[in-house]
Amino acid sequence: MKKITLILMLLAAGLMAVSCGHSDEPEPVKPDEITRVQDGNGKIFLENGVLVNANIDYTSAELSKALTEHEWYFDYGFYYDNSHVSPKKEFGGYWPTNIHVDGTIEYSKFPKQEGKIRDFSINGKELISTPRTEIHSGFAIPVENYVIIALDLSDNGSSRMILDRPLSAAPIDGYDANSSYARLIWHTIPND
């Protein structure tokens, strides 16, 4: 009886080890697998892979100031994956158009009224856009997560904020679904 129990325990442990070694989550990308330009050392890439200076080491105080003292508008965006960086792209109605100081994010071109104004919150360097109504008339509005890549605040002139959003749920033709992103370039609305 002890031998059977021991064999069953070893068999169960073996099955657990095999199942723990495999995951449905994509494996992290190794830096040597990325062939496009990369962000780092005070630079980010924009459309067509052009590197520009940017503040990637902004503080939480700077981010708080940016979101509570400035209105933001979506200027333009582009797509990228581990190998490609697109030129500027026209984004449709499902993308945010304004970030307001009242803690809301606006999707002015969104086809359903209940999805046009959403609340946002910040978790570290992540901006989370949460719908006020989850399901209406059978139409689900998802929570969207954006990583704030860079924040360049300027006392005179336009400030800039760069957001990334993974596109694995809505892949773009010609781009690797496991490593494709949209990069959104935002600017402050000038004071009147």
Side-chain angles (χ1 to χ4, degrees):
M1 188 65 149
K2 289 182 183 180
K3 286 183 183 180
I4 293 174
T5 304
L6 181 60
I7 291 172
L8 289 175
M9 287 175 48
L10 288 172
L11 191 59
L15 287 173
M16 286 175 50
V18 169
S19 67
C20 290
H22 300 288
S23 173
D24 292 336
E25 295 294 317
E27 292 292 320
V29 176
K30 298 177 184 133
D32 59 347
E33 293 174 353
I34 298 174
T35 58
R36 61 162 165 75
V37 294
Q38 297 181 51
D39 300 326
N41 296 325
K43 295 195 179 283
I44 60 157
F45 65 90
L46 293 180
E47 68 277 6
N48 298 315
V50 174
L51 283 171
V52 297
N53 292 329
N55 179 14
I56 58 178
D57 295 320
Y58 59 89
T59 66
S60 59
E62 289 171 316
L63 181 57
S64 178
K65 177 180 179 174
L67 296 173
T68 58
E69 296 180 16
H70 299 282
E71 294 281 320
W72 295 86
Y73 72 93
F74 172 59
D75 193 0
Y76 70 92
F78 59 92
Y79 304 120
Y80 72 92
D81 65 10
N82 285 340
S83 302
H84 309 90
V85 180
S86 79
K88 290 181 181 180
K89 293 291 184 182
E90 181 67 32
F91 283 22
Y94 292 93
W95 292 90
T97 54
N98 296 84
I99 299 173
H100 300 291
V101 295
D102 66 358
T104 61
I105 187 165
E106 182 177 347
Y107 294 68
S108 62
K109 298 177 185 175
F110 197 80
K112 300 254 185 203
Q113 187 61 36
E114 61 271 13
K116 290 185 184 274
I117 301 294
R118 305 178 194 178
D119 296 317
F120 75 81
S121 59
I122 298 297
N123 182 14
K125 292 191 172 194
E126 187 175 43
L127 184 141
I128 304 158
S129 173
T130 307
R132 293 178 168 180
T133 305
E134 286 191 31
I135 298 176
H136 183 73
S137 304
F139 185 79
I141 302 171
V143 171
E144 296 177 346
N145 297 343
Y146 300 86
V147 176
I148 304 167
I149 301 299
L151 178 63
D152 297 301
L153 289 176
S154 172
D155 290 332
N156 51 4
S158 181
S159 296
R160 179 181 66 187
M161 183 167 49
I162 312 296
L163 304 179
D164 274 6
R165 180 175 145 209
L167 294 175
S168 56
I172 303 299
D173 287 341
Y175 290 82
D176 174 41
N178 294 318
S179 67
S180 60
Y181 287 82
R183 180 157 283 188
L184 290 75
I185 314 308
W186 294 78
H187 285 97
T188 50
I189 296 175
N191 295 332
D192 292 334

